[in-house]
Amino acid sequence: MRKVLLILSLLLVQLQWLSAQNQDIYEKYNIYRNPFRVFINKISFTGTVGYGLTNFKHNLAGYYFFQDATTQMILRNDQELGTTFPGYVNWISKPAPGIETPISDRFTVPYAYLSNPVNNPNLNNNQVLVDADTSNLSFASLSSTIPFMLSIHYNIRKFRIGFGFQYEKIIMKDLEPSTGASYIRNYKPEFESTRYIKWFGMLGYQFYEWWDYTFAGELQVGAALLGPEIDNSAIGIGQKLFFNLGVNIEKNISEYVRIVVRPSYDFKQYTVNLPDGTDMRHNNNAMYVQLGLSMNIPEIPRSPMKSDHVQLKHVVTDPKSGRLMEVRGQTIWKKQNPKVGENHRRLWRYKWRNRRKIDPY
């Protein structure tokens, strides 16, 4: 019986010791931390700017393509052609009926035989008429894009969840034909530039850490609203969705401030309705590299005592309330090793002004 009581006593002592070890140190010593600041410290604010390339691309499968000296038009190839071509212009932004143009007989030579066969202006009437199904004709370009992004996310261990906003300025470039470049001109958009406004939700995961660097994968899903240069009324809501996959490479300047480099790739498209009731899909995927700053609000304040020069996080007595409180010894942009102070990370002898001195001290 005594052995059983001894064993039970030892187990009880061990459980009490473990309980004391697991007890939160702030509860154990009654150290005050503002609960609102502790909560908001888990929220990170990020702002970036960068450069990207938007790949505008569409395929003309199912259409005739017509070109003359002044215009380029398309028309569904299930319609029978007559002596004129009643096509549509501006098919990547605001489709409208073009001017019906007479189709010349390409098999008739419009001048006397061998009268002037070289550089005869009547020989080349500058008309091109092809069926895109047989020629596999498409147009594409890479247009410069400047993105500005603001986002906010909440950190749950290694996971991140949040939302954000991105504005993009796109400088349009002429779309080049995939075939027949010797006789088909580049397609020139009806506008020199346009914009995108994006609202998105974000989910991320921090998958690797190395020294002062953090690597996190992110998925953004949201709505991409095109600029007024493209007819938004002709685009369904389902066509305005976009997906973005990216990796945040973060250099931790301190516990609260990080420099962010974010390469990413956008998946998006839109469909424009033509006047005849048909529609055409345009892909405009994009790749970006963005650079910016991310920060979160410290969970503890700076020391209220001006004479306090301790660099580490430490506990002081609040001169107003008289209770223990945790304070930090560094500004938010200074790196802080949790074990040693780092106000003077570069030794005195290596400072620039002492570099040529025999005795820098």
Side-chain angles (χ1 to χ4, degrees):
M1 186 66 179
R2 289 181 179 179
K3 290 183 178 180
V4 173
L5 291 175
L6 180 60
I7 292 173
L8 290 174
S9 299
L10 290 174
L11 287 174
L12 181 61
V13 171
Q14 182 70 14
L15 289 172
Q16 289 177 342
W17 182 83
L18 289 173
S19 176
Q21 290 296 106
N22 293 331
Q23 184 180 5
D24 189 282
I25 190 172
Y26 298 100
E27 295 179 2
K28 182 177 180 180
Y29 296 102
N30 195 26
I31 300 172
Y32 175 77
R33 292 201 303 175
N34 187 312
F36 177 74
R37 293 190 66 149
V38 172
F39 169 77
I40 203 171
N41 174 252
K42 299 293 184 181
I43 299 176
S44 296
F45 304 87
T46 304
T48 63
V49 64
Y51 179 78
L53 292 172
T54 298
N55 182 20
F56 281 89
K57 183 177 181 179
H58 60 267
N59 195 310
L60 293 180
Y63 290 88
Y64 289 120
F65 172 80
F66 175 82
Q67 170 185 292
D68 64 11
T70 60
T71 188
Q72 291 174 313
M73 294 187 288
I74 60 173
L75 183 69
R76 288 294 299 182
N77 60 9
D78 55 5
Q79 300 186 33
E80 185 176 349
L81 292 178
T83 58
T84 60
F85 191 89
Y88 305 109
V89 296
N90 304 348
W91 63 85
I92 74 166
S93 55
K94 296 181 179 180
I99 300 174
E100 290 196 21
T101 305
I103 301 176
S104 301
D105 187 347
R106 291 170 292 167
F107 301 101
T108 299
V109 178
Y111 56 88
Y113 182 67
L114 292 181
S115 62
N116 187 9
V118 180
N119 295 326
N120 191 304
N122 293 323
L123 177 63
N124 183 10
N125 57 22
N126 293 318
Q127 285 193 354
V128 175
L129 177 59
V130 297
D131 187 337
D133 285 347
T134 56
S135 64
N136 196 27
L137 177 62
S138 63
F139 286 87
S141 73
L142 288 176
S143 298
S144 297
T145 306
I146 303 174
F148 300 86
M149 185 182 72
L150 295 173
S151 67
I152 179 173
H153 68 263
Y154 186 78
N155 298 284
I156 307 173
R157 295 184 179 179
K158 291 190 175 184
F159 287 93
R160 305 172 176 186
I161 184 169
F163 60 91
F165 163 86
Q166 180 161 303
Y167 173 89
E168 296 178 15
K169 182 72 172 180
I170 302 176
I171 312 301
M172 294 299 299
K173 186 179 179 182
D174 292 357
L175 282 72
E176 300 178 356
S178 59
T179 184
S182 60
Y183 55 90
I184 296 178
R185 299 192 304 271
N186 291 351
Y187 178 83
K188 186 175 180 61
E190 298 72 40
F191 49 93
E192 295 182 354
S193 65
T194 187
R195 60 171 168 78
Y196 257 104
I197 294 178
K198 296 178 178 177
W199 296 95
F200 58 86
M202 181 267 287
L203 180 65
Y205 179 73
Q206 179 183 318
F207 62 86
Y208 187 67
E209 285 185 315
W210 181 74
W211 292 89
D212 295 331
Y213 293 89
T214 300
F215 299 81
E218 286 186 355
L219 168 65
Q220 297 175 356
V221 180
L225 307 179
L226 295 91
E229 295 80 10
I230 298 176
D231 187 5
N232 277 271
S233 63
I235 302 172
I237 186 64
Q239 301 296 330
K240 297 178 182 179
L241 292 178
F242 81 96
F243 301 86
N244 179 279
L245 291 175
V247 176
N248 272 21
I249 305 170
E250 301 172 354
K251 165 67 174 176
N252 299 296
I253 301 301
S254 73
E255 185 178 349
Y256 309 109
V257 178
R258 299 158 292 281
I259 295 175
V260 179
V261 176
R262 187 177 190 275
S264 66
Y265 194 83
D266 240 18
F267 298 89
K268 60 184 183 294
Q269 64 181 30
Y270 66 95
T271 299
V272 173
N273 296 322
L274 298 176
D276 61 3
T278 61
D279 53 51
M280 175 173 290
R281 185 178 67 183
H282 302 279
N283 294 316
N284 54 340
N285 299 335
M287 49 189 172
Y288 311 98
V289 176
Q290 293 165 271
L291 174 67
L293 203 65
S294 178
M295 63 170 291
N296 51 323
I297 297 173
E299 79 283 15
I300 55 177
R302 292 290 298 273
S303 175
M305 296 179 289
K306 294 183 178 180
S307 59
D308 186 354
H309 298 295
V310 178
Q311 296 177 41
L312 298 173
K313 290 181 178 180
H314 56 287
V315 176
V316 300
T317 300
D318 189 342
K320 293 183 179 179
S321 64
R323 59 188 172 187
L324 294 178
M325 62 181 295
E326 187 180 23
V327 295
R328 55 191 169 86
Q330 293 281 37
T331 55
I332 64 173
W333 57 84
K334 278 194 176 182
K335 178 184 175 185
Q336 178 61 69
N337 188 302
K339 296 181 179 180
V340 296
E342 290 188 284
N343 269 348
H344 306 289
R345 284 168 284 171
R346 177 177 292 184
L347 295 179
W348 183 265
R349 67 176 301 167
Y350 297 124
K351 289 184 179 291
W352 179 259
R353 61 184 176 182
N354 298 324
R355 68 191 187 283
R356 298 184 183 276
K357 293 181 181 179
I358 297 177
D359 182 11
Y361 302 104

